[in-house]
Amino acid sequence: MHPNHDMMGFTLWTLLASSLAVAQVFDLSELQWTLKNQNGSIVVPGSLPSQAHLDLFEAGIINDPLLGINEFTERWVINDNWTYTADLTPFTRTYQSDPSGKTLIVFYGIDTIANIFRRYTFDVSHYLSSPAGEDNNLTIALESAWYYGLNVSMRPDAEYFPTTPIVSTEDNFEYPNVRVWIRKINDDFGWDWGPAFVPSGVYKPAYIVTLSESELQYPASDVTSFPVASRSLFVDETALDIYKYGQNSSVAPDQSADWIVNVTFDIHSIKSFENPTVTLSIPELNLTSGPLILGPIPNNAGQNIFLGVNWSIPDSIPERWYPIDLGNPKLYNLTITLDPSPSQGDGPSAESITQTITTGFRTIQLLQTPYSEEEIASRGITPGDQWHFAINGRAFYSKGTNIIPFDPFYSRIKPEAVRWVLESAVKSGQNMLRVWGGGIYQPSNAAIDGGSYAFYSLCDELGILAWSELTFSDSLAPINHFLLQSIQDEVGQNVRRVNRHPSNVQWAGGNEIEDIVMAANISLANGTHYLDEFVYMFQDYLHDIVVSETNSVPYTDCSTTRGVLSLDPYVLRFANGTPGYIYGNTERYNYNASEAFDLTTYPVARFHSMPSFYSWKEVLENLEDYAFNSSVVMSRDHHPPAGNLSWPNPNAPQGQYQMTSAVELWLPTPGTSDSNQTFAQWCWSTQLFQSMNMVAEIAWYRRGAGLGENNLGSLVWQLNDIWQGVSWSAIEYSGRWKVLQYGMATVYSPVIINPFWFPGNESLTILATSDRWETVNGTAQLTWYDWSGNTIESMTTPFSIPTLNNSLIYEGIGLDAILPFGYNAKDVWLLMNVTATVDNKLVTSESYFTPVSLAYSNLVDPQIAVIAGDNYTFTLSAKGGVGAWTWLDHPSGTVGYFLDPTTGLPSNGYYLIPGIDRTVQFISRLELATVQSPDPADFVVRSLWNNTHI
């Protein structure tokens, strides 16, 4: 599809205008669709919303794209052009004739080459009034994004993005050199954790909306879904922004000021209305605005007109929204009545439209100004700029992960699967999710802009903050008029849509791009050209669009940034800093497993892991595939990426080695006489190492809240998975929790205890850390055990932790002095516990310290016994030695998690000590499970002992 084609290339073949709808909406999914390839050799039933791969799978032309090596064998689908065609007779036959009407077609999302991220609304009245022959079809033509991208990138006027040993200005994963030219999901073209299907289709709902000046009237509509229309007026958008009087992206909110409730409409109308009004009300607060003057609505059916109103509410009236770990995520129902022609009598006119939006009141700030001299002197903070968030005027610790797309094919994402992932985040103590800029703009809910499932609305409900990003990732962006105009509409629509959600904390311009352009600037002969383009796009153009659409949330240029020199005007810092000062935020990659727990190399980041044995069973088709380095398993390891269409990934051995070397260095190397057990233990061991490493790193960052860096956030890569393959996820594609998910439930607890071991000088520091706003008092217990489970020595220490700070529990230098007297480091380990009262609740947490790698520890057979009780409770007992990292797996086809029935908290992956039994309960997520009533005998227990023993 070429950008110069009419209507952005959505080819609309003629519609017979035998009759028209009057003030009604027709759902295009009700039509009978046909999918056809370019030469007509494939013609199968289609559907809407859908994508070509899914309809081909449904028709039996291809197998499940996620199965086996189908990512490779089904590449031919990507290379073809596809059309969706449907007979419009059900539309023309059903609706009443009205020659004065206007007809609009609304696409909430078309996955093709133009712009997948925006809504398109077209006036198609002229197509209806001038039919061509007897053709009564609607056809949507979709060009191959891969071939289109190749054509564009080879144009003589296409900008060149070089790759050198120092910098790659256009990061390629699988389908190379095309994604920067197409406003499409970046990871559709491949990423280092996912497949490359480059899908196409109408992936969100679409509608025909008819407007009429006819005297035939319909009752006032109470709209709970989309599209929103009355007899002669169509509301394409209703945007809501709640902020403090005087607040904007560069002016901090006055916490005592009135709330401003701004409601803005994007209106299409076939009539002029001189005196429309808007009435706002919040029933829970018994508040009503009275009629607010909107301003005249012109006759503009084929164009957009934006009109808005403001309503002032005293600060003290609404309860504020907080993330779940800091308060109550309080929500209210805002009722909005737009009356285009208010009458003198009681009640709204017949043309009025009433909507209800669920929202909340909060302020969110991204603090980026320099620390004051007083803070530097009194708190010992390293000079530089702040870079952390404040909710309702108070700084807090951001604890969370990163979200990627939930499936390679958006149209089949299950709402219940998304809810499970978000609820799992809450269960593991998270309060923030970063919506990664290489994926999709996550939807509000199924009733807004064709969302298909809920994301931001769920974040509002559950009390999870959402760090939002514009969809640019790991490449510099070309500057041309066509892309800029499309991006302006895309960004404006999405910022306005997300404004209503109190969970949203910011808009970042993209992912990991600032570092790329800084490297280009100093290493390329024409580096200033790319820097200038970056400044134009990410400092100026995108910033100005975002801040023009919202007063309530901040903008930053990139997910990782060195911050700003100024907020007004917005000027990026880049390398303009003072040596020794700290600016902005950071991320780190380090796949050298030997440095995994060397704190002097921190911050390190992001070791990847295998899916579980159970997830592999979903996609492996042959027995010989069940091996760590089998060809099929390795074909699903995209790290490091191939950078081109080579298959299988020639760099997969490097990624596999990173996992195997980490396991071999820090855990007993899996190897038994049972090949399936060995494969399962390898998969689990990579997950265990990932969790051990990430938990240690998170603890290091949390420790920084009380030190000079004043670290107030850690967001782990990544929470969810897009398929069954090697990745950094904490939750597998099926919804199964990996070890890391349970690890985060421990290290993201409000109060934690952790060891910090520096092998260089053999020093050990143990800290209790709190992320609470109030001082926390409690008790820490340190107990040395041998691997047989015998207690060697124990000590108890009271502590008091100030706001967002640490308390020193233990400090020692010299391994001989730290170890219990007379014991070898291979024979002992340390259990650390904390108990404290937080928010009038008892909080406990534990962690472990082993003086040497578990690969060299003298483990003892734990002889774990499992007794199944009622309601899927299991009591685990170590009858021999200590069960290092004891783990319980639920069977294939089940989804859920294990919790401690006493605390109600997630519990799995721990040191099981003889004489101290553990009871856990499996809580099933039945709507996601294919096995509703699993046999308790099918639950499998494992520990490190099973790496080398049956």
Side-chain angles (χ1 to χ4, degrees):
M1 185 173 61
H2 193 277
N4 292 329
H5 287 182
D6 288 342
M7 301 177 64
M8 302 300 290
F10 307 139
T11 307
L12 296 174
W13 278 296
T14 53
L15 321 172
L16 272 180
S18 59
S19 60
L20 290 176
V22 179
Q24 288 295 298
V25 173
F26 184 86
D27 186 342
L28 291 181
S29 69
E30 297 178 13
L31 300 176
Q32 298 297 311
W33 290 91
T34 297
L35 173 67
K36 183 172 67 173
N37 69 337
Q38 182 169 340
N39 66 12
S41 60
I42 298 175
V43 181
V44 298
S47 56
L48 191 157
S50 187
Q51 284 152 300
H53 282 82
L54 302 182
D55 288 325
L56 293 170
F57 176 36
E58 181 68 21
I61 302 298
I62 63 174
N63 291 324
D64 183 346
L66 296 189
L67 194 65
I69 61 172
N70 289 346
E71 179 204 10
F72 171 70
T73 60
E74 295 170 3
R75 280 180 175 174
W76 62 269
V77 179
I78 299 167
N79 300 336
D80 215 333
N81 299 326
W82 299 92
T83 58
Y84 280 89
T85 301
D87 183 356
L88 277 163
T89 299
F91 165 72
T92 58
R93 181 178 60 228
T94 304
Y95 288 84
Q96 303 177 35
S97 176
D98 184 350
S100 67
K102 289 281 188 181
T103 303
L104 307 175
I105 191 165
V106 183
F107 291 100
Y108 285 105
I110 295 191
D111 190 355
T112 181
I113 64 173
N115 192 322
I116 183 178
F117 304 119
R118 56 164 297 190
R119 178 185 66 259
Y120 288 98
T121 301
F122 304 112
D123 180 357
V124 295
S125 304
H126 61 290
Y127 286 91
L128 288 162
S129 61
S130 304
E134 297 301 317
D135 190 347
N136 196 37
N137 290 333
L138 168 62
T139 296
I140 303 164
L142 307 169
E143 185 175 342
S144 165
W146 166 231
Y147 284 154
Y148 170 86
L150 288 177
N151 290 335
V152 171
S153 65
M154 290 187 289
R155 286 171 55 108
D157 57 348
E159 187 170 1
Y160 173 59
F161 293 98
T163 294
T164 73
I166 298 175
V167 63
S168 175
T169 58
E170 185 179 8
D171 219 352
N172 292 311
F173 291 87
E174 194 161 332
Y175 283 81
N177 305 321
V178 299
R179 62 186 177 88
V180 297
W181 302 101
I182 305 170
R183 296 305 298 147
K184 185 170 168 54
I185 296 174
N186 280 252
D187 68 75
D188 279 353
F189 298 96
W191 218 261
D192 55 358
W193 37 254
F197 288 110
V198 199
S200 61
V202 184
Y203 75 102
K204 286 184 177 180
Y207 298 87
I208 296 175
V209 178
T210 57
L211 306 176
S212 173
E213 291 190 65
S214 167
E215 293 301 316
L216 293 172
Q217 295 185 358
Y218 292 82
S221 56
D222 185 359
V223 179
T224 58
S225 62
F226 52 88
V228 178
S230 69
R231 177 164 54 92
S232 55
L233 184 144
F234 170 48
V235 179
D236 215 354
E237 283 183 40
T238 302
L240 170 64
D241 196 20
I242 299 177
Y243 51 92
K244 287 291 189 170
Y245 178 80
Q247 176 188 358
N248 60 42
S249 62
S250 60
V251 178
D254 177 350
Q255 296 298 327
S256 64
D258 286 354
W259 295 101
I260 302 299
V261 178
N262 171 267
V263 178
T264 300
F265 304 95
D266 177 4
I267 297 172
H268 298 257
S269 178
I270 59 169
K271 290 175 61 175
S272 296
F273 297 94
E274 296 301 320
N275 300 299
T277 63
V278 176
T279 302
L280 308 177
S281 65
I282 303 176
E284 301 97 321
L285 297 175
N286 294 316
L287 284 181
T288 301
S289 68
L292 304 171
I293 303 302
L294 182 63
I297 299 174
N299 180 336
N300 69 326
Q303 302 174 3
N304 301 73
I305 181 73
F306 289 90
L307 298 170
V309 297
N310 287 340
W311 181 26
S312 179
I313 298 176
D315 169 70
S316 60
I317 292 180
E319 178 184 336
R320 297 200 182 196
W321 185 97
Y322 281 91
I324 190 65
D325 67 325
L326 296 175
N328 178 29
K330 178 64 178 177
L331 297 173
Y332 294 98
N333 293 308
L334 175 67
T335 301
I336 304 169
T337 299
L338 166 62
D339 195 341
S341 55
S343 61
Q344 301 300 314
D346 295 333
S349 68
E351 287 264 38
S352 69
I353 296 174
T354 296
Q355 305 175 66
T356 298
I357 293 177
T358 301
T359 189
F361 293 77
R362 61 87 180 94
T363 66
I364 191 72
Q365 297 165 264
L366 176 56
L367 304 177
Q368 301 182 75
T369 54
Y371 283 104
S372 67
E373 292 297 329
E374 189 277 330
E375 288 178 300
I376 293 170
S378 64
R379 297 176 56 192
I381 291 177
T382 304
D385 292 349
Q386 304 176 81
W387 210 99
H388 58 262
F389 294 98
I391 183 80
N392 296 319
R394 303 188 71 177
F396 67 97
Y397 200 95
S398 302
K399 304 179 297 185
T401 51
N402 293 257
I403 285 285
I404 65 170
F406 293 93
D407 195 281
F409 305 100
Y410 181 100
S411 57
R412 74 172 182 186
I413 294 174
K414 299 177 181 178
E416 58 272 21
V418 178
R419 173 175 280 275
W420 169 243
V421 170
L422 268 60
E423 288 184 354
S424 295
V426 173
K427 293 178 192 302
S428 61
Q430 300 179 49
N431 63 18
M432 184 179 290
L433 299 175
R434 172 181 167 239
V435 182
W436 174 66
I440 191 82
Y441 291 97
Q442 289 294 338
S444 294
N445 58 48
I448 299 172
D449 258 17
S452 303
Y453 63 89
F455 182 83
Y456 283 100
S457 293
L458 270 180
C459 290
D460 296 344
E461 170 197 332
L462 297 173
I464 310 174
L465 296 162
W467 162 327
S468 302
E469 291 185 3
L470 308 180
T471 54
F472 299 88
S473 184
D474 289 280
S475 288
L476 303 185
I479 306 295
N480 62 64
H481 174 74
F482 168 69
L483 279 174
L484 290 180
Q485 181 57 54
S486 179
I487 289 165
Q488 181 176 11
D489 294 334
E490 161 200 327
V491 173
Q493 287 180 10
N494 283 286
V495 172
R496 291 191 297 270
R497 172 179 60 81
V498 175
N499 273 343
R500 70 181 61 191
H501 298 288
S503 55
N504 189 37
V505 299
Q506 76 153 340
W507 283 101
N511 171 63
E512 299 178 326
I513 307 173
E514 186 180 302
D515 286 340
I516 294 175
V517 78
M518 289 181 67
N521 182 50
I522 63 175
S523 66
L524 300 178
N526 63 337
T528 55
H529 163 78
Y530 296 105
L531 181 63
D532 290 343
E533 286 198 329
F534 178 89
V535 167
Y536 178 82
M537 176 71 88
F538 293 94
Q539 175 184 286
D540 301 334
Y541 190 73
L542 296 177
H543 167 269
D544 292 353
I545 297 172
V546 171
V547 302
S548 72
E549 301 291 359
T550 180
N551 282 34
S552 61
V553 298
Y555 170 87
T556 52
D557 71 300
C558 192
S559 60
T560 50
T561 177
R562 284 159 177 79
V564 297
L565 292 172
S566 167
L567 287 172
D568 187 15
Y570 186 72
V571 181
L572 296 173
R573 177 175 295 280
F574 294 119
N576 299 304
T578 301
Y581 283 34
I582 298 176
Y583 304 102
N585 65 341
T586 60
E587 69 173 6
R588 291 290 186 272
Y589 306 81
N590 186 340
Y591 299 108
N592 182 351
S594 68
E595 297 180 350
F597 304 103
D598 183 350
L599 304 184
T600 63
T601 68
Y602 278 21
V604 301
R606 293 169 36 167
F607 278 85
H608 47 310
S609 65
M610 281 280 193
S612 68
F613 181 81
Y614 301 93
S615 283
W616 283 120
K617 289 176 69 175
E618 298 169 10
V619 295
L620 299 183
E621 301 177 273
N622 303 299
L623 290 177
E624 60 268 22
D625 296 336
Y626 287 83
F628 192 84
N629 289 316
S630 72
S631 59
V632 178
V633 168
M634 290 186 67
S635 76
R636 299 171 81 94
D637 186 345
H638 289 201
H639 171 77
N644 52 52
L645 293 177
S646 298
W647 192 94
N649 175 17
N651 297 323
Q654 183 179 339
Q656 296 291 101
Y657 171 76
Q658 289 168 355
M659 290 187 290
T660 56
S661 64
V663 170
E664 290 167 349
L665 275 171
W666 297 103
L667 302 171
T669 300
T672 71
S673 58
D674 185 322
S675 60
N676 271 357
Q677 177 180 319
T678 298
F679 180 53
Q681 291 295 130
W682 264 115
C683 295
W684 174 73
S685 294
T686 66
Q687 293 188 16
L688 176 56
F689 172 80
Q690 175 198 27
S691 179
M692 291 167 60
N693 177 244
M694 296 311 301
V695 166
E697 188 177 345
I698 294 168
W700 175 262
Y701 292 143
R702 287 193 61 178
R703 158 191 175 274
L707 302 178
E709 59 265 39
N710 194 31
N711 181 294
L712 290 178
S714 64
L715 302 182
V716 173
W717 188 269
Q718 65 203 67
L719 179 58
N720 62 310
D721 232 331
I722 197 170
W723 74 331
Q724 307 92 333
V726 178
S727 80
W728 294 262
S729 72
I731 300 175
E732 298 181 13
Y733 176 75
S734 66
R736 180 182 293 267
W737 286 20
K738 289 185 178 180
V739 182
L740 174 58
Q741 181 68 7
Y742 288 97
M744 288 191 294
T746 297
V747 76
Y748 278 153
S749 295
V751 182
I752 59 174
I753 185 169
N754 281 94
F756 300 95
W757 168 249
F758 295 88
N761 65 353
E762 293 190 341
S763 66
L764 176 65
T765 300
I766 299 175
L767 298 177
T769 302
S770 169
D771 65 12
R772 298 295 88 189
W773 282 331
E774 69 279 358
T775 297
V776 172
N777 299 306
T779 302
Q781 184 174 17
L782 311 181
T783 306
W784 283 99
Y785 288 92
D786 65 20
W787 288 111
S788 294
N790 300 308
T791 302
I792 301 171
E793 60 185 39
S794 185
M795 61 173 283
T796 300
T797 303
F799 61 78
S800 181
I801 311 176
T803 301
L804 293 167
N805 216 311
N806 307 295
S807 179
L808 179 64
I809 304 301
Y810 173 86
E811 196 166 34
I813 298 179
L815 184 57
D816 289 341
I818 293 168
L819 293 175
F821 179 75
Y823 281 85
N824 187 292
K826 296 181 179 181
D827 296 323
V828 296
W829 62 279
L830 179 65
L831 170 66
M832 294 153 284
N833 299 90
V834 287
T835 302
T837 300
V838 175
D839 299 329
N840 298 317
K841 296 178 182 178
L842 190 66
V843 173
T844 63
S845 184
E846 69 181 37
S847 64
Y848 319 109
F849 170 67
T850 55
V852 298
S853 163
L854 286 164
Y856 307 113
S857 296
N858 293 323
L859 302 180
V860 176
D861 184 356
Q863 301 176 34
I864 299 173
V866 180
I867 299 177
D870 295 334
N871 299 317
Y872 294 104
T873 58
F874 300 89
T875 299
L876 287 74
S877 306
K879 304 299 185 180
V882 174
W885 296 113
T886 298
W887 177 261
L888 195 58
D889 261 324
H890 51 91
S892 296
T894 59
V895 177
Y897 75 108
F898 294 96
L899 62 73
D900 182 328
T902 302
T903 65
L905 298 175
S907 180
N908 206 357
Y910 40 75
Y911 281 31
L912 185 63
I913 302 170
I916 306 177
D917 295 349
R918 298 266 192 160
T919 298
V920 297
Q921 183 178 12
F922 179 65
I923 307 300
S924 179
R925 195 59 168 230
L926 294 177
E927 63 268 32
L928 296 176
T930 57
V931 176
Q932 301 291 307
S933 301
D935 187 340
D938 291 335
F939 287 71
V940 176
V941 67
R942 66 181 84 249
S943 73
L944 285 183
W945 185 258
N946 301 109
N947 277 15
T948 53
H949 299 81
I950 297 295

